Amino acid sequence: QSALTQPASVSGSPGQSITISCTGTSGDIGSYDSVSWYQQFPGKAPKLLIYDVTHRPSGVSNRFSASKSGNTASLTITGLQPEDEADFYCTSSTNTDALVLFGGGTRLTV
Amino acid sequence: EVQLLESGGKLVQPGGSLRLSCVASGFTISNYAMSWLRQAPGKGLEWVSTASGTGGSTFYRDSVKGRFTFYRDNLKNTLYLDMARLRVDDTAVYYCAKQMTGDPPDPFDTWGLGTMVIVS
């Protein structure tokens, strides 16, 4: 049950845009339109940011967007704000015994 | 308001057992797939187990199969995770989470605050 691959960290300045990648295989990201992204602040529970590759739950800022190409999904944050600093995790359904795979997480520094 | 509140985490010796509980409010758990996830100290999130909305199917990650059991008490609107033969690498904050529908692979749209399990 290997994890999806994310960069350990990314950084950007306020107002800039950043993109976090999430690489899987043809057995997970490549086969399912069920990629989700979660934001987690230190000591807090994760929050759903994106589901089904591109959809934002109600209340999530449109500064967060996502896409998928082949076996790689991406989360883009535009107009970076200091309060965006958090850990971000991607997930995907998988054709293995595991129901869902998580990425290792990416620490965003603004 | 949709809320989840976990409890039951504590320090336990290797080989020991523990039951975690998760009380749901603001929705009916029988209408949704529900899951347990965990996060070891300083590490990433990890899926542990999911039960479908009907309760007819339960899934576990390989490392907990045969040791953990996920129960749902629909009358009490409460989830349980029975953990046996605990290992040091089970040490983590355990979260319960609601999924968007009754379908197990669905995204986790509501999370509890978590409860800490320390195996040492």
Side-chain angles (χ1 to χ4, degrees), chain A residues 18-103:
Chain A
I18 61 96
T19 296
I20 299 172
S21 62
C22 172
T23 302
T25 69
S26 58
D28 38 72
I29 293 177
S31 292
Y32 300 92
D33 286 335
S34 57
V35 177
S36 297
W37 290 89
Y38 298 84
Q39 179 183 42
Q40 185 182 34
F41 296 105
K44 302 296 185 182
K47 170 190 171 184
L48 179 64
L49 274 185
I50 299 285
Y51 66 96
D52 292 351
V53 182
T54 61
H55 295 82
R56 280 188 308 274
S58 174
V60 173
S61 170
N62 59 10
R63 295 188 300 105
F64 296 93
S65 63
S67 62
K68 187 188 88 165
S69 178
N71 299 337
T72 299
S74 299
L75 173 71
T76 297
I77 309 173
T78 59
L80 274 177
Q81 300 176 0
E83 55 265 36
D84 294 333
E85 273 203 356
D87 294 325
F88 293 84
Y89 294 89
C90 61
T91 68
S92 172
S93 294
T94 171
N95 63 5
T96 67
D97 284 348
L99 200 60
V100 60
L101 293 179
F102 274 84

Side-chain angles (χ1 to χ4, degrees), chain A residues 1 34 36 38 40 43-48 50-52 57 87 89 91 93 97-105, chain B residues 35 37 39 43-47 50 59-63 65 95 99-100 104-109 111-114:
Chain A
Q1 296 173 344
S34 57
S36 297
Y38 298 84
Q40 185 182 34
K44 302 296 185 182
K47 170 190 171 184
L48 179 64
I50 299 285
Y51 66 96
D52 292 351
D87 294 325
Y89 294 89
T91 68
S93 294
D97 284 348
L99 200 60
V100 60
L101 293 179
F102 274 84
Chain B
S35 292
L37 304 102
Q39 186 169 34
K43 302 297 184 182
L45 295 165
E46 188 173 83
W47 168 76
T50 293
F59 306 85
Y60 300 93
R61 69 178 297 106
D62 284 347
S63 62
K65 282 179 183 175
Y95 295 99
Q99 286 160 268
M100 294 185 79
D106 265 11
F108 311 105
D109 65 356
W111 297 63
L113 299 178

